[in-house]
């Protein structure tokens, strides 16, 4: 049978209206001191129709200039779109750019830092965006082009037998820029584009609101395309990739907004250069969604007596021990990780993972499903850093030093890599159902 894809898209401002603390860097203190560039959310709606005005499937991609985004942190939005439109579960993917210059929105061990007034603002603005996206539905064709951008670099390097955060040009990286173009059937003009790229938005640590380099890049693309086209940035598996800001002594440094603008312009120009290529037309197909939750084992867990003793500690340590005690003895041994799959066209398949996933997993999925799968980290929340088996042996920030930040009792076991790879491949192939 022939397929027809209808696409609606909307963009809303989600900049906080009052100063709140920013997420991403522990060295910051107090609420933000100013706004360098506004934060936005983009809602992309896909609907497949078998006959006139007869929807047979609807999916939603919600993307935001935030450190993380999940239904649990905006429950009013999740409940409302399910009640109004029947959209829930794997039919909705939440993807964050992971900017470190926006408010706290990561749940789990950091949920107490989320400003509930701000999350209510995000809820209401996203509901407006969904309404606008439904109102703007148009029949589209889908095209793909692929470019390259070198602003990111591997950030793990062995120095004197220890793995530290330092520029490592020899380390694994993903410099591919995949651009998906949604063009109106009526006149061929561009209604919206997806830009998939892989790099931490950690250019600057200034205590200022900023959509970071992805925001600069998407604004540059939107201005160039014109006609109201909306550009949506989809973050890849950038857990160990960061902007290549390297000093003369070979160390990383934090930049300022001029560096944000420079890196964003480089990515924007890479997208525009790719769009000049002859595109690959993607055949339409039945929309597909599914998800699976796996359990990632910890290396060790404190016993009941130790947890009860720790629960009496003040501050964050006490909170963590009380949270572990609230779980069953079995559940304490694992971190749940959710993977979601969404197929929008032949050659356009999204695999969303709710963690700070290192680049090797993204490269693996691209290798397994060439010219088809776009791996999205920071999707549907962020449970923890997801390192490889080798990194768990090596140590370093992603494997060990970050575990307390995510409320983990110990690092993961090395077999998580095989568990995640198998689950992701099975999800794409539909074998997890």
């Amino acid at each position: 049978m022939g397929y027809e894809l209808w696409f609606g898209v909307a963009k809303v401002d989600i900049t906080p209206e009052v100063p709140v603390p920013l997420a991403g860097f522990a060295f910051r203190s107090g609420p933000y001191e100013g706004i360098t560039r506004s934060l936005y959310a983009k809602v992309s709606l896909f609907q497949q129709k078998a006959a006139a005005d007869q929807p047979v499937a609807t999916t939603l991609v919600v993307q935001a200039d935030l450190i993380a985004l999940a239904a649990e942190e905006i429950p009013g939005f999740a409940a409302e779109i399910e009640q109004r439109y029947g959209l829930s579960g794997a039919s909705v993917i939440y993807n964050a750019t992971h900017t470190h210059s926006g408010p706290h929105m990561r749940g789990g061990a950091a949920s107490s830092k989320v400003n509930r007034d701000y999350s209510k603002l995000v809820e209401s603005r996203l509901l407006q965006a969904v309404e606008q996206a439904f109102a703007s539905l148009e029949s589209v064709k889908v095209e793909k082009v692929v470019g390259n951008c070198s602003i990111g670099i591997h950030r793990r390097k062995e120095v004197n037998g220890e793995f530290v955060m330092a520029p490592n040009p020899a380390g694994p990286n993903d410099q591919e820029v995949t651009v998906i173009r949604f063009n109106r059937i009526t006149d061929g003009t561009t209604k919206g584009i997806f830009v998939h790229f892989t790099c931490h938005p950690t250019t600057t640590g200034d205590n200022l609101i900023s959509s970071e380099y992805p925001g600069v890049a998407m604004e540059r693309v939107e201005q160039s395309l014109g006609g109201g086209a909306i550009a949506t940035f989809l973050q890849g598996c950038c857990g160990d990739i960061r902007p290549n800001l390297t000093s003369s002594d070979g160390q990383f440094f934090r930049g300022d907004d001029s560096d944000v603008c420079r890196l964003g312009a480089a990515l924007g120009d890479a997208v525009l250069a790719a769009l000049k290529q002859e595109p690959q037309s993607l055949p339409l197909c039945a929309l597909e969604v599914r998800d699976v939750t796996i359990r990632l084992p910890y290396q060790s867990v404190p016993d009941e007596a130790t947890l009860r003793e720790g629960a009496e500690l003040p501050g964050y340590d006490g909170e963590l021990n009380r949270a572990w005690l609230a779980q069953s003895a079995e559940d304490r041994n694992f971190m749940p990780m959710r993977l979601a799959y969404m197929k929008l066209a032949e050659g356009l398949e999204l695999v969303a993972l709710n963690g700070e996933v290192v680049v090797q997993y993204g490269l693996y999925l691209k290798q397994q499903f060439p010219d088809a799968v776009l791996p999205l980290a920071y999707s549907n929340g962020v449970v923890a850093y997801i390192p490889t088996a080798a990194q768990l042996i090596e140590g370093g920030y992603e494997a060990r030093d970050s575990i307390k930040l995510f409320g983990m009792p110990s690092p993961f076991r090395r077999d998580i890599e095989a568990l995640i790879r198998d689950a992701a491949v099975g999800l794409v192939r539909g074998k997890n159902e």
Side-chain angles (χ1 to χ4, degrees):
M1 62 174 291
Y3 293 97
E4 187 176 7
L5 183 66
W6 289 62
F7 172 66
V9 64
K11 172 182 176 180
V12 288
D13 192 318
I14 57 168
T15 309
E17 296 177 337
V18 296
V20 296
L22 301 183
F25 297 115
F27 56 75
R28 290 192 185 116
S29 62
Y32 70 77
E33 299 165 7
I35 300 172
T36 305
R37 54 193 71 256
S38 297
L39 308 180
Y40 290 96
K42 283 83 175 273
V43 167
S44 299
L45 175 71
F46 301 91
Q47 195 169 86
Q48 197 171 73
K49 301 187 177 186
D53 301 322
Q54 294 296 314
V56 295
T58 304
T59 64
L60 201 64
V61 176
V62 179
Q63 179 272 337
D65 295 326
L66 293 169
I67 197 160
L69 186 63
E72 305 88 80
E73 294 306 317
I74 45 172
F77 171 78
E80 194 68 23
I81 62 169
E82 182 173 11
Q83 181 179 349
R84 289 190 199 179
Y85 310 111
L87 293 171
S88 64
S91 294
V92 185
I93 286 179
Y94 301 85
N95 179 260
T97 63
H98 195 56
T99 177
H100 282 42
S101 296
H104 290 276
M105 281 295 284
R106 184 172 65 81
S111 60
S112 62
K113 297 181 180 181
V114 178
N115 182 290
R116 298 304 163 186
D117 289 335
Y118 178 66
S119 64
K120 290 289 186 184
L121 180 143
V122 174
E123 285 181 341
S124 63
R125 298 287 170 82
L126 285 176
L127 283 173
Q128 294 173 18
V130 173
E131 292 173 357
Q132 293 169 19
F134 268 100
S136 74
L137 281 168
E138 295 179 86
S139 182
V140 295
K141 63 179 180 179
V142 187
E143 296 177 342
K144 177 195 287 187
V145 290
V146 179
N148 184 274
C149 182
S150 59
I151 65 172
I153 190 170
H154 194 77
R155 72 181 195 185
R156 290 172 54 85
K157 186 175 183 179
E158 186 175 10
V159 178
N160 297 325
E162 294 186 359
F163 279 82
V164 300
M165 200 172 288
N168 182 6
N173 200 353
D174 184 358
Q175 298 184 341
E176 195 170 72
V177 182
T178 302
V179 185
I180 307 297
R181 196 167 189 161
F182 302 101
N183 295 331
R184 297 175 178 89
I185 293 292
T186 52
D187 58 10
T189 59
T190 299
K191 185 177 181 69
I193 68 170
F194 281 171
V195 175
H196 180 267
F197 185 61
T198 304
C199 181
H200 253 82
T202 51
T203 312
T204 176
D206 294 341
N207 196 19
L208 301 167
I209 287 280
S210 174
S211 55
E212 259 275 355
Y213 80 82
V216 173
M218 297 308 97
E219 289 175 14
R220 193 178 187 91
V221 171
E222 289 173 352
Q223 291 169 3
S224 178
L225 292 176
I230 293 175
T232 298
F233 180 90
L234 297 178
Q235 183 63 270
C237 296
C238 68
D240 48 5
I241 305 295
R242 67 180 272 181
N244 187 9
L245 298 179
T246 304
S247 61
S248 58
D249 61 355
Q251 300 299 311
F252 282 125
F253 68 89
R254 296 287 175 207
D256 56 22
D257 190 57
S258 66
D259 297 294
V260 171
C261 291
R262 176 173 57 83
L263 297 180
L267 176 58
D269 289 345
V271 173
L272 295 173
L275 287 171
K276 294 178 181 178
Q277 303 174 21
E278 184 68 27
Q280 174 190 359
S281 181
L282 302 185
L284 299 180
C285 63
L287 296 180
E288 295 181 38
V289 298
R290 47 186 173 265
D291 62 358
V292 64
T293 297
I294 59 176
R295 301 205 300 171
L296 307 182
Y298 300 123
Q299 290 179 14
S300 62
V301 178
D303 60 29
E304 188 91 4
T306 303
L307 291 176
R308 291 194 179 282
E309 183 179 345
E312 302 301 320
L313 293 171
Y316 186 59
D317 288 330
E319 286 182 28
L320 289 183
N321 281 278
R322 289 190 291 273
W324 293 328
L325 274 173
Q327 300 179 55
S328 71
E330 172 67 14
D331 288 344
R332 287 175 204 153
N333 293 301
F334 302 92
M335 173 75 80
M337 181 183 182
R338 179 173 170 235
L339 296 80
Y341 172 83
M342 184 179 289
K343 184 173 184 178
L344 301 171
E346 299 292 350
L348 179 52
E349 302 173 56
L350 310 179
V351 174
L353 309 99
N354 67 338
E356 294 223 35
V357 186
V358 298
V359 71
Q360 291 91 325
Y361 288 97
L363 293 172
Y364 175 78
L365 282 172
K366 286 186 172 183
Q367 180 186 46
Q368 292 298 305
F369 305 100
D371 203 30
V373 165
L374 297 181
L376 310 183
Y378 311 97
S379 296
N380 305 315
V382 175
V383 294
Y385 268 97
I386 308 298
T388 63
Q391 289 173 347
L392 284 163
I393 297 172
E394 296 163 353
Y397 183 76
E398 298 82 2
R400 296 181 193 167
D401 300 344
S402 66
I403 63 172
K404 191 174 179 181
L405 172 68
F406 291 97
M408 297 169 56
S410 70
F412 290 121
R413 284 190 348 212
R414 288 179 306 203
D415 53 349
I416 68 163
E417 181 171 354
L419 289 171
I420 295 167
R421 285 187 172 197
D422 289 348
V425 170
L427 191 63
V428 176
R429 292 177 176 163
K431 294 183 178 180
N432 301 101
E433 297 177 302

